[in-house]
Amino acid sequence: MKKSVLILLTLVPVIVGYLVNVLIMVPVIGMAGFYLLPLLTTAFWFYLGKQFARKWKPVPAVLIAHTVGICSLLVYLWQFLLETDETRSLTLAGFSQIFSASTPLYLFGGIARLVERQPNYAGRATMVAMQVIALDKCSLDIMGIGIIVLLTSSTT
């Protein structure tokens, strides 16, 4: 697979996240999409990690593959931690959350709530933690596993 195609495929989580956000409003299809699309994206991300490992060395592969997620996280932190409600751009704030919608956050929401001071409360700290978990779990960990699997299988 060409390097340019691989770089374009890093936008799949953004497309899936947009689909999840749009489909959630459709009664039956929305919930199925909410649960299934992130899991399919996770499996695809594992496959994509192996493809990236074939084209680049491990560190550049991880950095190139996660540029979209890292940019999304940086924009999210900028919009929600450094801007006030009056100066926040709703467009940038909305787009910064699309990447995390493509990850199965329903599996990791309980972990994110651990950073809050109040029990069973989802505030700003929980939302920031969920963005970081989204980048970490479905991006770095899953793709990293794909890269490690390919590297270990090629050395044996």
Side-chain angles (χ1 to χ4, degrees):
M1 198 176 296
K2 291 183 178 181
K3 289 182 178 181
S4 59
V5 173
L6 287 175
I7 291 172
L8 283 175
L9 287 176
T10 61
L11 295 174
V12 166
V14 175
I15 296 166
V16 170
Y18 178 77
L19 282 174
V20 167
N21 283 335
V22 170
L23 288 177
I24 199 74
M25 295 180 242
V26 180
V28 175
I29 298 171
M31 288 312 291
F34 177 78
Y35 287 108
L36 294 177
L37 287 176
L39 293 176
L40 294 174
T41 304
T42 303
F44 173 74
W45 210 246
F46 177 77
Y47 165 77
L48 195 62
K50 292 192 336 187
Q51 299 305 314
F52 265 84
R54 289 188 175 125
K55 294 290 182 184
W56 287 288
K57 293 180 180 178
V59 173
V62 170
L63 290 176
I64 293 168
H66 299 98
T67 302
V68 174
I70 292 169
C71 290
S72 173
L73 178 63
L74 290 175
V75 171
Y76 180 86
L77 295 174
W78 167 43
Q79 288 298 307
F80 287 96
L81 297 181
L82 301 177
E83 297 288 335
T84 63
D85 290 341
E86 294 83 20
T87 61
R88 181 177 301 141
S89 167
L90 292 179
T91 305
L92 286 176
F95 282 131
S96 69
Q97 297 176 61
I98 289 177
F99 182 84
S100 65
S102 69
T103 60
L105 288 176
Y106 50 85
L107 297 176
F108 308 115
I111 297 169
R113 281 196 315 266
L114 294 176
V115 299
E116 286 289 347
R117 295 179 193 261
Q118 300 172 351
N120 298 324
Y121 175 73
R124 180 177 284 180
T126 302
M127 296 304 149
V128 170
M130 288 179 75
Q131 295 292 323
V132 172
I133 289 170
L135 178 64
D136 178 51
K137 288 298 170 203
C138 266
S139 296
L140 301 176
D141 292 351
I142 299 300
M143 186 172 272
I145 290 170
I147 290 171
I148 290 169
V149 166
L150 183 71
L151 291 177
T152 56
S153 66
S154 65
T155 58
T156 57

